Amino acid sequence: MAKKKSFLSLAFIAVLLLAMVTPAVSADSSEQAPHTNAAAANLQSYVDAMQPGWNLGNTLDATGADETSWGNPAVTQELIKKIAAQGYKSIRIPVTWDVHVGAAPGYTIDPAYLTRVQQVVDWAIGENLYVMINLHHDSWLWISKMEQQHDQVLARYNAIWTQIASKFKNHSSKLMFESVNEPRFSDGGTTDENKALQMLDELNVSFHSIVRNSGGMNATRPLVLPTLETSPTQTRMDSLNNTITKLNDSNLIATVHYYGFWPFSVNIAGYTKFDTDTQNDINTTFTNVYNTFTAKGIPVIVGEYGLLGFDKNTGVIEQGEKLKFFEYLAYYLKSKQITPMLWDNGQHFGRTTYQWSDPQLYNIMKTSWSKRSSTAESDLINLKKGASAKDVTVKLNLNGNTLSSIFFGSQQLVQGTDYTLSGDQLTFKAARLTSLISSGKLGVNAVLTAHFNKGADWNFNVILYDTPVLSNVQGTTSSFKIPAVFNGTTLATMEAVYSTGGNAGPQNWTPYKEFAYAFTPSYSTNEISLLPAFFNEVNNGDIILKFHFWNGEMVSYKITKNGTSVTGVTM
């Protein structure tokens, strides 16, 4: 994954939405017999044993002078020990070689850099981890220019893999090579999909030949081959399947990446919840992956997974919706014998603190390695200040489990008095909820923890809120911050439309703007910022904004843009 993902084109969004309701089917899925030999079975066992996996992102793959150029500290042996202690069985070590490679014709890798990569690899193997290394951002930095600079790119690619293969040829079979990360040629001007598929096939075949002929353990070392852009679209998977079939090598693994149903993954177009569309995208995608590869004896690794909104911050997706996504994805991948590797660029597991930034997320992921967890339709119980007390019913997603107990801190709630349970309908009684918000403090007043007979706990946040209040303000297109008294609420999404009609701002195929790209709330400074990226694509005139909050309320606001000047008024 690049440090920042580029936005998908509208055309691709249309394809994505169509695929959501029209599952793709491999044209040749019935024509190729499954690989059932012992070697293929052994390789599937190898990939199964890699579960779960973790990425050492934005480190050795950084494009600057060294591994700290993107803000992460240099990798230490202690970090590798700590990540293994978290229960991870495999580690993907993305490596960008570009600035560490000499000129033609030798394209010699800086010996010190190659030694540093080996050091990190050896630390990981020393912790009994399966290890994957690759050519990472080289994909868009120079490999993408292959159509225009074919011979030069191929020569450089071959030279790099020749040196890597030689360096590691006697290493444990727990080390695997990935030919290239997210291979794409569009940065180099290629617009023909078939041409791009042909070039990727050429790279993968050349990579395979170099490694297999380099001696030592490389004769049978597991090799990981990606689809174009490592995307799980059917045409691209079929093309990779053809390459793997042609190579006739039982030690080849296919890889794709997955960052979820895009509108949900970045919080745009009103996809704030882990709904049916988002779940179906997981089902359709990995049923197709399974049918194309796994069912035919070709193991699959999801070399990266997560949510694209995490590129901005991990709060782009509401906590409960985020947890449901990770829980369900892990379950479905496991059911299809597909091993995932979490993308972590330092935002999840602290590189020096060795602590998880979101322990709840880690806990639900960790639990998913062996069993399913129960969730609920929401983790928010919103109670309006001054409103008469009412029972609140929440639907549970039990996922085969049963509710055991509910606690408020160390105090166990009494079933029948504090709550009732009928099937999957959990009802919190008005009297108990009223007691929890008796302080009158706006915001989260209590956290109720539901325990189940199996799996992770689920937290319910009991929130006292009042209607949020926005204020008038003057600003500019480079700095526009609406004063906001949130009154215990949190922002879910924002709509923007011109007063004369039509959607305003970027991605104007939808009125709902992208969270943390077009707008972002700050609860510590009590403001909602409209970001420059929003104004870059807004015409002069009046725009009506609708701010949707997680308590179900909506507040309208009008802004007037005139050149770089922006005025905001309440409605």
Side-chain angles (χ1 to χ4, degrees):
M1 183 178 183
K3 189 178 184 184
K4 292 183 179 179
K5 288 277 189 184
S6 60
F7 296 102
L8 301 181
S9 67
L10 181 55
F12 185 70
I13 294 166
V15 171
L16 190 66
L17 293 171
L18 180 62
M20 178 182 72
V21 295
T22 310
V25 178
S26 170
D28 62 355
S29 60
S30 63
E31 297 175 5
Q32 296 180 17
H35 299 287
T36 57
N37 57 66
N42 288 340
L43 191 63
Q44 182 63 57
S45 297
Y46 178 102
V47 170
D48 291 344
M50 291 173 59
Q51 166 90 275
W54 181 83
N55 273 268
L56 181 66
N58 283 19
T59 306
L60 287 166
D61 54 315
T63 59
D66 62 33
E67 66 199 80
T68 68
S69 65
W70 277 3
N72 277 323
V75 183
T76 62
Q77 187 172 14
E78 185 67 11
L79 172 65
I80 304 301
K81 286 179 179 291
K82 292 293 187 182
I83 202 63
Q86 302 305 303
Y88 286 93
K89 303 300 182 185
S90 60
I91 182 171
R92 183 171 179 255
I93 304 174
V95 184
T96 298
W97 303 87
D98 180 51
V99 298
H100 307 285
V101 175
Y107 299 110
T108 302
I109 300 172
D110 176 7
Y113 188 68
L114 192 53
T115 297
R116 171 59 172 163
V117 172
Q118 180 186 350
Q119 182 182 44
V120 179
V121 167
D122 288 346
W123 286 340
I125 290 176
E127 295 303 315
N128 205 29
L129 293 169
Y130 290 84
V131 184
M132 187 191 304
I133 60 173
N134 65 4
L135 271 62
H136 203 78
H137 294 308
D138 303 273
S139 60
W140 56 269
L141 286 168
W142 54 273
I143 293 174
S144 62
K145 302 171 184 174
M146 186 172 176
E147 184 175 8
Q148 290 75 27
Q149 303 173 18
H150 177 275
D151 293 352
Q152 176 185 336
V153 167
L154 187 60
R156 194 181 195 207
Y157 178 85
N158 289 347
I160 292 171
W161 269 120
T162 297
Q163 294 169 80
I164 297 171
S166 177
K167 183 74 170 179
F168 293 100
K169 67 181 181 181
N170 293 318
H171 269 62
S172 162
S173 62
K174 284 193 138 182
L175 172 65
M176 69 205 84
F177 300 151
E178 177 187 27
S179 63
V180 59
N181 169 71
E182 297 184 353
R184 65 183 197 241
F185 305 94
S186 54
D187 299 275
T190 297
T191 57
D192 184 335
E193 176 92 356
N194 288 331
K195 179 64 177 178
L197 292 171
Q198 291 168 10
M199 289 188 291
L200 177 57
D201 175 76
E202 184 176 9
L203 290 174
N204 279 333
V205 169
S206 185
F207 159 76
H208 176 266
S209 176
I210 289 167
V211 175
R212 287 290 179 254
N213 292 311
S214 60
M217 298 288 287
N218 288 345
T220 56
R221 183 177 307 285
L223 303 181
V224 182
L225 303 183
T227 59
L228 185 65
E229 297 186 1
T230 330
S231 66
T233 58
Q234 194 61 54
T235 299
R236 294 175 176 187
M237 291 195 297
D238 286 341
S239 179
L240 177 60
N241 185 42
N242 290 338
T243 298
I244 292 175
T245 300
K246 174 176 61 179
L247 291 173
N248 192 28
D249 182 334
S250 59
N251 283 310
L252 299 182
I253 300 166
T255 187
V256 297
H257 291 174
Y258 189 70
Y259 285 94
F261 180 57
W262 183 72
F264 171 78
S265 186
V266 301
N267 191 344
I268 194 174
Y271 280 90
T272 57
K273 296 184 178 182
F274 181 68
D275 61 7
T276 301
D277 290 345
T278 305
Q279 181 173 312
N280 284 345
D281 189 74
I282 294 173
N283 298 345
T284 299
T285 297
F286 289 105
T287 295
N288 290 342
V289 171
Y290 176 85
N291 290 338
T292 307
F293 297 116
T294 316
K296 298 175 182 177
I298 303 167
V300 178
I301 296 170
V302 180
E304 297 179 13
Y305 78 96
L307 290 167
L308 288 177
F310 285 176
D311 278 356
K312 305 294 190 304
N313 67 68
T314 57
V316 167
I317 312 299
E318 194 275 328
Q319 181 72 0
E321 307 307 316
K322 176 198 313 178
L323 296 177
K324 286 186 282 186
F325 170 83
F326 278 89
E327 194 283 328
Y328 186 83
L329 177 61
Y331 149 72
Y332 204 77
L333 290 173
K334 188 174 181 180
S335 76
K336 297 299 182 184
Q337 292 182 273
I338 297 170
T339 291
M341 306 186 83
L342 176 69
W343 177 258
D344 189 351
N345 61 15
Q347 65 202 166
H348 296 308
F349 189 67
R351 297 294 172 86
T352 56
T353 64
Y354 311 129
Q355 300 294 318
W356 290 93
S357 61
D358 186 343
Q360 201 176 5
L361 174 59
Y362 168 65
N363 193 40
I364 209 161
M365 289 191 297
K366 182 178 181 180
T367 303
S368 72
W369 302 340
S370 59
K371 60 181 74 74
R372 290 208 69 178
S373 292
S374 300
T375 61
E377 63 179 331
S378 179
D379 63 341
L380 306 175
I381 299 175
N382 288 294
L383 305 171
K384 188 162 187 177
K385 187 172 184 177
S388 58
K390 294 181 180 179
D391 294 351
V392 174
T393 299
V394 183
K395 181 181 178 181
L396 298 178
N397 308 309
L398 290 167
N399 297 328
N401 303 329
T402 57
L403 179 66
S404 302
S405 59
I406 301 176
F407 277 79
F408 170 47
S410 60
Q411 181 183 22
Q412 183 172 351
L413 272 62
V414 179
Q415 185 171 359
T417 301
D418 297 324
Y419 70 95
T420 61
L421 180 66
S422 177
D424 60 1
Q425 302 294 308
L426 174 63
T427 299
F428 293 98
K429 305 304 287 183
R432 187 54 165 150
L433 293 175
T434 300
S435 71
L436 293 173
I437 59 171
S438 59
S439 70
K441 179 189 70 173
L442 295 174
V444 177
N445 278 236
V447 176
L448 304 178
T449 302
H451 301 283
F452 301 86
N453 65 321
K454 291 183 294 183
D457 298 337
W458 182 264
N459 288 339
F460 293 97
N461 299 286
V462 181
I463 299 167
L464 181 65
Y465 75 91
D466 206 346
T467 301
V469 178
L470 308 182
S471 299
N472 299 346
V473 72
Q474 293 277 345
T476 66
T477 54
S478 61
S479 179
F480 187 78
K481 303 177 187 296
I482 303 170
V485 180
F486 290 103
N487 284 332
T489 62
T490 50
L491 187 60
T493 188
M494 179 192 82
E495 291 183 82
V497 297
Y498 292 108
S499 60
T500 55
N503 301 327
Q507 292 139 338
N508 62 11
W509 51 273
T510 175
Y512 291 92
K513 301 295 98 176
E514 182 178 343
F515 200 108
Y517 176 73
F519 69 97
T520 190
S522 172
Y523 302 107
S524 61
T525 58
N526 295 311
E527 59 196 12
I528 301 172
S529 296
L530 300 186
L531 304 175
F534 172 74
F535 287 112
N536 286 344
E537 300 183 51
V538 168
N539 301 327
N540 286 338
D542 293 339
I543 300 99
I544 306 302
L545 306 178
K546 294 181 179 179
F547 291 100
H548 297 265
F549 294 87
W550 277 105
N551 59 20
E553 295 206 1
M554 186 273 291
V555 176
S556 295
Y557 191 83
K558 184 175 77 172
I559 61 171
T560 302
K561 177 179 177 288
N562 183 12
T564 60
S565 177
V566 184
T567 301
V569 296
T570 59
M571 294 182 67

